[in-house]
Amino acid sequence: MVFKRLLGSLGVGGPTVDTVLAPGAAAPGGTLSGQVRLSGGSGDFDIEHITLELVARVEAEQGDHEEVGAVAFDRFVVGGGFRLTAGAEHTVPFSVTLPWETPVTELYGQGLGVVLGVRTELSVAGAKDKGDLDPLTVGPLPVQEAILEAFGQLGFGFRSADLEYGRIGGTGQQLPFYQEIELIPAPDYAHAVNEIEVTFLATPGGMEVVLEADKRGGPFGGGHDALTRFTVSHDGIHQQDWNALVDGWVRQLLDHHASYGSHAAYDAGHHGYGDDHGHGHDHGHRSGPGIGTAVAVGAAGLAVGVVGGLVAAEVVDEVGDFFEGDDDEGDDEGSDDGGED
């Protein structure tokens, strides 16, 4: 999808910008490539900078309710320093590297309801204007796919996915928000837990997997949250018994009795556990179902089918509707790292 927009600050007759991303899904830590295509207006303009900004639809807890806003989480200068003459066409190819913690927006080609965008900003003769906005599709890393597939094979179902503003203590999180993938418990665990939330924090050398369980209460007490984390490598994907590994993670998570109990670090290469007593989320939360696509559980794991065929189209439309309606507010949030400290 492409949104052509006239540079409003330059008035009628200004240049237009059309950013076209390479087809297919990008990957966290991978390359995002494409072209910025400029069409000259009725006069000559000096293009000082062409900047791409990655933006995300993020939820933030404000007291007893949640607010939604646009957060910018990376910027790249991909061109500039030339004059665009009247009526001229100019193409600037680009290739940039996405942050390793870039959220996943689809699994097996099915949208998860997470909204990311690439905003193109032109600096023209001292004036800045957002010239184009395009949806960004990101698929999982192989290790992320293997873990989610294992959850599906174990009988867990996909409930929703969203982005939460804040940081998870005791981790190496870099972005000002994190992704939560909410799973319906498998039948073997339904008596003990309402849902399990999975967060991936990838790095060049591996990935932290944070699991949080909304545990059911017993006859003498209410339910509570339990949280633990594990680390895995990007290597040896096909040599790992992911079903057994993930099942062990879940059992260890549910054995934690204290709210936000100890974090367990698991090294898939050394096949051992170790405790490092970290901290839980910097602020507590329980997020309900979002706009995520409901993915059925079956023989192929989490992504066998989609409930609600209109969800994918609605998500695509929302990229333009949400970010265009939140442009000014989103810029302010992005410049301030997305919101409150």
Side-chain angles (χ1 to χ4, degrees), residues 141-166:
L141 293 166
V143 66
Q144 293 171 327
E145 183 175 310
I147 291 170
L148 292 175
E149 176 69 15
F151 272 108
Q153 293 286 349
L154 291 170
F156 288 81
F158 177 83
R159 173 169 288 165
S160 67
D162 59 17
L163 306 181
E164 294 280 347
Y165 180 76

Side-chain angles (χ1 to χ4, degrees), residues 128-210:
K128 291 184 178 180
D129 201 295
K130 309 173 200 66
D132 195 18
L133 177 68
D134 295 274
L136 173 60
T137 302
V138 179
L141 293 166
V143 66
Q144 293 171 327
E145 183 175 310
I147 291 170
L148 292 175
E149 176 69 15
F151 272 108
Q153 293 286 349
L154 291 170
F156 288 81
F158 177 83
R159 173 169 288 165
S160 67
D162 59 17
L163 306 181
E164 294 280 347
Y165 180 76
R167 297 185 182 277
I168 303 176
T171 69
Q173 180 184 343
Q174 299 296 310
L175 295 184
F177 58 84
Y178 53 91
Q179 181 173 20
E180 287 184 338
I181 299 175
E182 300 177 2
L183 303 179
I184 301 169
D188 288 347
Y189 301 108
H191 67 285
V193 63
N194 294 309
E195 69 176 16
I196 287 181
E197 297 173 348
V198 183
T199 295
F200 296 121
L201 300 174
T203 68
M207 188 177 63
E208 291 180 273
V209 184
V210 181

Side-chain angles (χ1 to χ4, degrees), residues 246-323:
V246 170
D247 186 61
W249 289 353
V250 173
R251 292 180 185 277
Q252 181 168 340
L253 173 65
L254 298 185
D255 283 343
H256 288 186
H257 298 292
S259 178
Y260 296 127
S262 63
H263 297 226
Y266 177 84
D267 187 333
H270 294 86
H271 300 281
Y273 288 92
D275 291 328
D276 79 286
H277 296 277
H279 303 283
H281 295 265
D282 284 356
H283 56 277
H285 66 279
R286 288 250 54 85
S287 52
I291 60 171
T293 307
V295 183
V297 176
L302 282 174
V304 173
V306 178
V307 179
L310 296 178
V311 173
E314 291 171 358
V315 169
V316 171
D317 290 340
E318 185 179 357
V319 174
D321 295 342
F322 174 75
F323 287 123

Side-chain angles (χ1 to χ4, degrees), residues 21-107:
L21 303 180
T31 299
L32 176 68
S33 59
Q35 296 179 340
V36 178
R37 300 171 182 173
L38 301 176
S39 298
S42 58
D44 297 346
F45 292 89
D46 291 324
I47 309 298
E48 297 176 350
H49 300 288
I50 303 173
T51 303
L52 301 181
E53 185 175 62
L54 305 182
V55 287
R57 177 188 187 274
V58 177
E59 298 178 3
E61 286 198 353
Q62 300 292 333
D64 58 354
H65 68 282
E66 285 190 336
E67 294 184 356
V68 178
V71 174
F73 61 98
D74 212 341
R75 288 173 63 87
F76 312 92
V77 176
V78 297
F82 61 90
R83 169 161 289 197
L84 184 65
T85 58
E89 303 288 331
H90 189 86
T91 298
V92 178
F94 64 83
S95 181
V96 300
T97 302
L98 295 178
W100 279 94
E101 291 181 16
T102 299
V104 175
T105 68
E106 71 169 31
L107 180 64

